Amino acid sequence: MKRTYILLTCLLLSFISFGQKLYIKTFGDSKADPIIFLHGGPGYNCAGFEATTAQRLADNGFFVIVYDRRGEGRSTDPNAKFNFQQTFEDINEIYKSNSLKKASFIGHSFGGIVALLFAEKFPDKIKSVFLTGVPVSLQESFKTIINHCKEIYLEKKDSSNLGYIKQLENMDTASLEYSTYCFGHAMQNGFYNTKNPSAEAKNISTAFRKDTLARLASQMTYQGPQAFWKNEHYTTLDQTPLISKLLKQHIKIFGFYGKEDGLYSPEQVVKLQGILGNKNIEYLDNCSHNVFIDQQSLFINRIKDWNK
């Protein structure tokens, strides 16, 4: 693909105030409209988006910044605090080091929670927030996962896993164990992957599997979810009131969700449509959790349209 912008400017920024390095990589012309990608987790990294989507988004006229949160992925830091306050400080350093006044966020999964909370604290720094497979209410998503899994296990007459679901239903829903087991069953049943990928998605996935970042993208650091849960109890957060609040402050918020994403029921998406407006949310066929891979062209085109 022809490169028409300043490309692949890779920065390992040493933040003097913290004495540690964050993994940061930028794509495109630094004078173009800035978008910061906030990856999911806690405990994951930006490698999947970095390898598949960041350059193409930059080729469409954006200055794209990706980074791994402190203590996660390639941003190793034994003294990471794993809380929202330090996360916001790091994001503000990214603004400062790139001379940004306003930027848009692509918040993927847990990264969308971070995006909304940052927007609440620093509304003047936000142009748009693109919620991408974001669990607006994790507790509702856990119920959805359990219901979906129960249907699967009943159909398969899987008494063993039905027993595990029974135990889950009797657990403390605010506990880390509850969320961990829910996500485990979701992964076991392929809730993060589309069963009928488009030709474009197949090509992207094939190329990605050959990329050196592919192995990193599936790696998880377990200190992240454990420490974030301990410090922030993020699994109990419901962002619905915050979204309504931000919209009243004239912050633009949009949503991307896949119809094959087993973390969200149609009712959850309809509820969010009622808040954002039907024109501001895409509920996509042949698409699961990684919207930017499963429906990449539509994803980028909608960002271009919405971010005007």
Side-chain angles (χ1 to χ4, degrees), residues 15-16 22 33 38 55 84 115 139 144 224:
F15 292 160
I16 296 174
L22 291 185
D33 206 355
L38 304 177
Q55 183 57 59
F84 290 128
Q139 291 296 312
T144 297

Side-chain angles (χ1 to χ4, degrees), residues 209-241:
R209 284 193 291 269
K210 299 176 184 177
D211 196 291
T212 56
L213 290 175
R215 181 176 295 182
L216 176 64
S218 63
Q219 292 178 358
M220 182 178 186
T221 55
Y222 290 95
Q223 188 181 4
Q226 292 171 353
F228 257 108
W229 176 84
K230 180 180 178 181
N231 296 329
E232 302 289 1
H233 300 289
Y234 69 94
T235 63
T236 62
L237 295 178
D238 182 353
Q239 303 289 75
T240 308

Side-chain angles (χ1 to χ4, degrees), residues 32 48 111 114 134 144 176 196 204 212 218 228 270:
V114 174
V134 175
T144 297
L176 181 61
N196 299 294
I204 293 169
T212 56
S218 63
F228 257 108
V270 168

Side-chain angles (χ1 to χ4, degrees), residues 40-103:
Y44 283 107
N45 53 71
C46 68
F49 184 89
E50 174 185 341
T52 64
T53 310
Q55 183 57 59
R56 189 173 174 196
L57 189 59
D59 290 341
N60 277 270
F62 294 96
F63 178 52
V64 182
I65 303 171
V66 303
Y67 89 106
D68 290 349
R69 271 189 305 273
R70 184 174 297 275
E72 302 176 41
R74 293 154 288 185
S75 295
T76 55
D77 182 354
N79 299 312
K81 295 179 181 178
F82 296 103
N83 60 31
F84 290 128
Q85 179 59 39
Q86 187 175 68
T87 301
F88 298 160
E89 290 169 357
D90 286 343
I91 294 172
N92 275 321
E93 286 290 345
I94 291 172
Y95 270 76
K96 183 178 178 181
S97 63
N98 287 280
S99 302
L100 305 180
K101 292 183 178 180
K102 276 195 172 187

Side-chain angles (χ1 to χ4, degrees), residues 145-201:
I145 291 169
I146 289 173
N147 289 336
H148 282 182
C149 288
K150 187 185 289 187
E151 291 173 2
I152 292 170
Y153 299 147
L154 282 170
E155 185 176 349
K156 292 181 177 180
K157 298 181 180 179
D158 187 342
S159 58
S160 178
N161 274 310
L162 283 170
Y164 286 128
I165 292 296
K166 180 81 170 174
Q167 293 178 34
L168 259 180
E169 291 175 323
N170 292 315
M171 288 180 68
D172 176 4
T173 61
S175 69
L176 181 61
E177 291 77 12
Y178 175 78
S179 60
T180 300
Y181 290 138
C182 282
F183 286 134
H185 280 280
M187 293 180 69
Q188 177 178 301
N189 287 291
F191 287 0
Y192 294 91
N193 302 307
T194 177
K195 296 178 178 63
N196 299 294
S198 66
E200 179 189 42

